[in-house]
Amino acid sequence: MADKKFKLHFGIVSIIAIVVFAVLLVTDLLLKHYEVADSWNFVVIENFIWVESGHKNTGSAFSMFAGVVWGRIFLVTISVVLILALCTAFAFLPERFVVLKIAIALIVAGAVGNLYDRLVYGYVRDFVWVNMLFTSACCNFADFFIVFGVIAAIVDFLFLNDWALIPLTASAKAARERDNSRGKDVAEKEAGGEEQSEWTENADNAEINSDKPDGGETDA
């Protein structure tokens, strides 16, 4: 049983996800390189998204841990642990978890892209500003990959895969029915076992009582 639960899965879905990871990672690093080299500064959507080159983020999202002496070591350690954990989960996930595998590829691509910056430069190269109603945040495409990957994973867990809390797809509903059927079978077996145990106990008691001599009779 343990061998079935912990088995490496590598097929066409994994290959596609790895290709997605490689393409996204290269895209992120190239965009960072050219925005620094060419000093990009332009507006994408007025008052919503604009590009401004030269922002160096020594922290994490929203510049958390920026300027903290141990911040870089902490963020690098967290990134490495996260990447290793996600790669392990990716390797053991069956090929039918298509959305989740692609989501992991997105998250790892973004995490590796930012980890590269922290190791090589000591900071993350951010250049895309996004107006978030009450505040503005400067980020990069690696951050976008992480966000999109997390959203895809949440949607998959909620509605799409075998463990979906609210199954909407045919495969998710079929998995829920299989789980319910297994649970019903287990309950029936347990109930049958209790009945069998009770019947055996009653039969044993009856046999013991039949072997006892009648207390009302005496030998002549």
Side-chain angles (χ1 to χ4, degrees):
M1 182 64 70
D3 293 338
K4 293 182 179 180
K5 288 183 178 180
F6 300 101
K7 178 183 177 182
L8 294 176
H9 297 273
F10 188 83
I12 186 63
V13 174
S14 296
I15 294 174
I16 293 173
I18 291 172
V19 171
V20 169
F21 158 79
V23 170
L24 294 181
L25 177 60
V26 171
T27 300
D28 173 63
L29 296 179
L30 286 176
L31 288 173
K32 288 174 178 175
H33 169 76
Y34 284 112
E35 67 87 9
V36 172
D38 300 336
S39 297
W40 290 350
N41 288 281
F42 55 87
V43 175
V44 179
I45 301 177
E46 190 70 33
N47 298 322
F48 182 47
I49 300 176
W50 64 97
V51 173
E52 185 178 289
S53 182
H55 186 74
K56 301 175 181 179
N57 184 7
T58 57
S60 61
F62 300 99
S63 297
M64 291 178 60
F65 305 109
V68 181
V69 176
W70 49 266
R72 181 187 176 193
I73 297 176
F74 174 76
L75 292 173
V76 168
T77 302
I78 291 297
S79 297
V80 171
V81 171
L82 173 65
I83 291 168
L84 291 177
L86 289 176
C87 289
T88 301
F90 179 91
F92 285 102
L93 271 176
E95 290 291 280
R96 66 179 182 276
F97 291 87
V98 179
V99 176
L100 194 53
K101 285 214 168 194
I102 298 298
I104 291 175
L106 265 70
I107 297 171
V108 173
V112 171
N114 284 340
L115 177 62
Y116 173 87
D117 274 19
R118 290 193 177 96
L119 292 175
V120 175
Y121 302 105
Y123 55 83
V124 174
R125 295 167 290 177
D126 290 337
F127 58 97
V128 181
W129 284 90
V130 180
N131 189 348
M132 304 174 65
L133 297 179
F134 300 107
T135 185
S136 296
C138 191
C139 52
N140 54 48
F141 276 76
D143 298 326
F144 294 148
F145 300 156
I146 293 173
V147 171
F148 294 152
V150 169
I151 292 174
I154 292 174
V155 171
D156 195 44
F157 273 116
L158 287 177
F159 308 112
L160 307 180
N161 70 31
D162 291 9
W163 309 313
L165 297 178
I166 308 173
L168 297 182
T169 63
S171 59
K173 292 178 180 178
R176 173 65 63 87
E177 291 177 359
R178 287 196 301 269
D179 290 341
N180 292 338
S181 178
R182 290 194 191 102
K184 184 178 179 181
D185 291 342
V186 170
E188 290 177 351
K189 287 180 180 179
E190 290 178 350
E194 291 176 358
E195 292 177 358
Q196 179 67 26
S197 177
E198 184 178 353
W199 181 87
T200 303
E201 183 179 354
N202 292 335
D204 291 342
N205 291 336
E207 184 177 353
I208 292 172
N209 292 333
S210 64
D211 291 340
K212 291 181 179 180
D214 191 348
E217 296 181 358
T218 57
D219 294 334

